[in-house]
C-alpha cells in the first residue's frame, strides 16, 4: 500500500486528543486509503457494522461509492467497522443493484436471500485466530504460515486490528457445500498443528470478514509482510509489549 500505512496504528499525525469518530472520518476520507479499500470490493458486497447494527449489501468498488454509502447510512460521527463478503458474486447475473429506498431494498433482500447461491462465483478460505493473549494467537499464526509456505499455498495474512490474525486464500472456486469442506479443512489443521485459538464459527456462505486497511478502534486491520510478521515475533521473544501494543 506504499505510503498509506507502515504499522497497525493510526498515523502519528492523527490528533491524539480527537475522538475515534474524527479519526475514522479523516482515515476513510484519505483518497489512498479509500482506493485500497475499494480495490478489495470488486464483485463483493460491503457491510458496515454501525454500533450493533449490521448494514449489508452495499457497493464500495469505487471510493465515491464507499464514501456515498458511509454518508447515506450516517456513519460519519459514529463508531463503525467495515467488512467484505467472502463470496464473490456475478452482479450481471444477479440483475439488480440494491436500492436506497427502504421498501424496494427489503424486497431485493428477500429475493437475494432466496437466490444468492446461484450468483456466487468464487469463495475465500479463511482462518480466524482470536485470543485474549495476542502472543498465543501469534504462535498459532506462525504454525499456519510455516505450513502454508511449505506447501506453497498463496495467502493473505493480516493483523485483525484487535486480538488476533486472519489468513485468507482468495478467489478459490465455488461449489455447493464448499463452506462445510473449508470448516473440515480448518479443523483438520487445528488437529495437525495443535492450534488453540481457531475460531470455527466463520464457515458459512454469508460470512463477512474485516476489510484490510479498515479500522478496528484506533488500529488498522493490516496486511503483514514476512518481515513485519517476523518483527512481531521478535518483540514477543524480547518481552516488548509496548511495541506490540503500538503496532
Amino acid at each position: 500500500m506504499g505510503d498509506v500505512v507502515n504499522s497497525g496504528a493510526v498515523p502519528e499525525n492523527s490528533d491524539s486528543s480527537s475522538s475515534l469518530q474524527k479519526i475514522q472520518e479523516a482515515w476513510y476520507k484519505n483518497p489512498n486509503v479509500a482506493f485500497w479499500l475499494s480495490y478489495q470490493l470488486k464483485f463483493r458486497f460491503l457491510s458496515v457494522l454501525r454500533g450493533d447494527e449490521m448494514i449489508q449489501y452495499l457497493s464500495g468498488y469505487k471510493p465515491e461509492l464507499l464514501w456515498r454509502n458511509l454518508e447515506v447510512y450516517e456513519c460519519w460521527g459514529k463508531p463503525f467497522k467495515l467488512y467484505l463478503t467472502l463470496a464473490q458474486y456475478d452482479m450481471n447475473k444477479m440483475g439488480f443493484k440494491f436500492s436506497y429506498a427502504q421498501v424496494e431494498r427489503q424486497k431485493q433482500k428477500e429475493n437475494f436471500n432466496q437466490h444468492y447461491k446461484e450468483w456466487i462465483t468464487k469463495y475465500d478460505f479463511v482462518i480466524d485466530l482470536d485470543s485474549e493473549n495476542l502472543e498465543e494467537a501469534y504462535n498459532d499464526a506462525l504454525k499456519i504460515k510455516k505450513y502454508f509456505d511449505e506447501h506453497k499455498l498463496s495467502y493473505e495474512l493480516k493483523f485483525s486490528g484487535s486480538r488476533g490474525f486472519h489468513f485468507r486464500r482468495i478467489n478459490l472456486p465455488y461449489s455447493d457445500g464448499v463452506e462445510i469442506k473449508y470448516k473440515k479443512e480448518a479443523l483438520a489443521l487445528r488437529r495437525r498443528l495443535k492450534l488453540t485459538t481457531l475460531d470455527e464459527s466463520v464457515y458459512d456462505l454469508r460470512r463477512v470478514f474485516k476489510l484490510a486497511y479498515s479500522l478496528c478502534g484506533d488500529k488498522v486491520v493490516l496486511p503483514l509482510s514476512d518481515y513485519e510478521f517476523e518483527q512481531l515475533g521478535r518483540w514477543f521473544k524480547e518481552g516488548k509489549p509496548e511495541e506490540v501494543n503500538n503496532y
Side-chain angles (χ1 to χ4, degrees):
M1 190 174 172
D3 61 351
V4 177
V5 293
N6 55 21
S7 78
V10 174
E12 289 297 325
N13 59 6
S14 295
D15 183 356
S16 60
S17 64
S18 297
S19 67
L20 174 59
Q21 293 87 343
K22 289 182 179 179
I23 292 173
Q24 285 184 321
E25 184 167 354
W27 179 255
Y28 289 122
K29 287 186 176 180
N30 181 313
N32 289 330
V33 173
F35 171 83
W36 285 107
L37 292 169
S38 299
Y39 181 80
Q40 302 168 70
L41 290 165
K42 294 180 180 179
F43 311 113
R44 301 175 189 268
F45 289 112
L46 167 71
S47 293
V48 180
L49 181 61
R50 186 188 61 186
D52 58 0
E53 179 187 9
M54 182 68 85
I55 305 165
Q56 298 176 295
Y57 314 125
L58 306 177
S59 294
Y61 60 89
K62 295 190 295 186
E64 296 79 9
L65 285 171
L66 175 65
W67 291 328
R68 173 170 170 75
N69 278 308
L70 294 177
E71 183 74 31
V72 167
Y73 290 100
E74 301 179 346
C75 294
W76 303 128
K78 301 175 182 177
F80 63 90
K81 297 177 183 178
L82 301 183
Y83 298 81
L84 53 65
T85 54
L86 293 180
Q88 285 192 36
Y89 293 91
D90 185 332
M91 302 299 184
N92 290 326
K93 188 175 180 181
M94 195 173 82
F96 64 89
K97 295 181 179 180
F98 279 96
S99 171
Y100 290 115
Q102 186 173 356
V103 174
E104 179 64 19
R105 185 177 182 81
Q106 183 58 40
K107 292 179 181 178
Q108 291 172 332
K109 287 170 67 174
E110 292 171 1
N111 183 24
F112 183 86
N113 290 339
Q114 290 180 9
H115 300 287
Y116 73 95
K117 290 184 180 181
E118 302 168 20
W119 304 324
I120 298 176
T121 59
K122 304 283 186 182
Y123 192 77
D124 300 342
F125 172 70
V126 297
I127 294 177
D128 185 354
L129 303 174
D130 185 75
S131 175
E132 295 288 347
N133 183 340
L134 187 61
E135 186 173 4
E136 184 179 6
Y138 179 88
N139 290 335
D140 275 359
L142 181 60
K143 294 176 186 177
I144 295 169
K145 186 178 188 305
K146 287 181 177 178
Y147 181 86
F148 281 179
D149 289 344
E150 287 171 0
H151 290 80
K152 302 186 185 307
L153 299 175
S154 61
Y155 60 89
E156 172 191 87
L157 167 59
K158 65 179 185 283
F159 170 57
S160 72
S162 181
R163 304 181 304 182
F165 299 90
H166 294 164
F167 287 84
R168 181 166 161 243
R169 301 197 61 225
I170 302 172
N171 300 341
L172 300 180
Y174 169 73
S175 59
D176 190 42
V178 70
E179 75 281 13
I180 300 171
K181 172 188 172 185
Y182 286 173
K183 183 172 184 176
K184 289 179 179 178
E185 290 178 1
L187 294 178
L189 268 180
R190 181 168 69 182
R191 292 191 297 271
R192 176 190 291 268
L193 302 179
K194 296 180 171 57
L195 307 176
T196 61
T197 64
L198 177 73
D199 181 355
E200 61 181 86
S201 70
V202 300
Y203 301 99
D204 66 76
L205 287 181
R206 307 289 286 277
R207 176 60 54 173
V208 295
F209 225 48
K210 286 179 184 174
L211 199 55
Y213 303 114
S214 66
L215 293 181
C216 182
D218 63 351
K219 300 289 186 182
V220 179
V221 180
L222 184 68
L224 299 173
S225 67
D226 288 351
Y227 172 80
E228 290 165 332
F229 184 72
E230 290 167 4
Q231 183 62 53
L232 276 174
R234 285 192 288 270
W235 286 337
F236 282 126
K237 288 180 180 178
E238 294 169 4
K240 295 182 177 179
E242 66 279 4
E243 280 86 350
V244 174
N245 291 335
N246 291 329
Y247 199 73

